[in-house]
Amino acid sequence: MHAPTVLTKRSWNEVPRWGLIIGGAAIMFFGQIALIFAQYALWGAPPPHKIPLADKPILVQLFFIVMLMPLLETIAGQWLPIRLINGVFSLSWRVAAVGSIALFTLMHGYVDRAVVSILLGAVVLAAVFIVEAKRNGRPVLSTWLTHALANACVLSLQHM
């Protein structure tokens, strides 16, 4: 009889980059959908939010929502706080993760229950960045691609 596999600190390093990217995006996408349904079941329909660039052509939406914004948010929401907190101030990776999660969540400006969905994404993106940084990988690229893929999934769902 084998014990179930549990991801440990060591096994995270063994997950290939593509696994972090696709797995992270899947957790963000499906996790946020599950959170939205749970909130709907508990509290009813959420307040309406304006969908960014909804009135723009799909190519404009793809460029901004899938390419540019995830890159800028990776730099501002993961790279800057994690490198500053862990590198410059020599605090732990955990403290750096908390700083990144808080900043990324605040950057989105939600003050209602939508914060919960953004918080999930912030946790995933901080984790991807830190796993890649600790193994001297490509943390900015991996985090950007994870975020871009999750946003592409959301955009495709909006256009069904």
Side-chain angles (χ1 to χ4, degrees), residues 3 34 77 100 133:
S100 169

Side-chain angles (χ1 to χ4, degrees), residues 3-109:
T5 303
V6 177
L7 287 175
T8 62
K9 285 182 182 182
R10 183 168 181 218
S11 64
W12 277 112
N13 288 331
E14 296 167 5
V15 174
R17 181 176 296 125
W18 63 266
L20 282 177
I21 293 166
I22 294 171
I27 290 168
M28 286 175 66
F29 179 66
F30 293 112
Q32 288 173 345
I33 289 172
L35 286 170
I36 290 166
F37 279 125
Q39 290 173 355
Y40 187 86
L42 291 170
W43 301 298
H49 288 111
K50 184 180 181 304
I51 298 173
L53 305 171
D55 58 337
K56 303 295 182 212
I58 188 67
L59 289 177
V60 171
Q61 292 180 43
L62 281 170
F63 175 73
F64 282 98
I65 295 170
V66 176
M67 300 301 294
L68 184 61
M69 291 313 296
L71 178 60
L72 296 176
E73 289 177 351
T74 294
I75 292 166
Q78 284 84 38
W79 179 81
L80 181 63
I82 291 171
R83 291 299 186 197
L84 188 65
I85 293 167
N86 182 256
V88 175
F89 296 118
S90 299
L91 297 172
S92 73
W93 288 106
R94 287 186 178 139
V95 173
V98 169
S100 169
I101 291 164
L103 180 60
F104 184 85
T105 303
L106 289 170
M107 283 172 29
H108 284 80

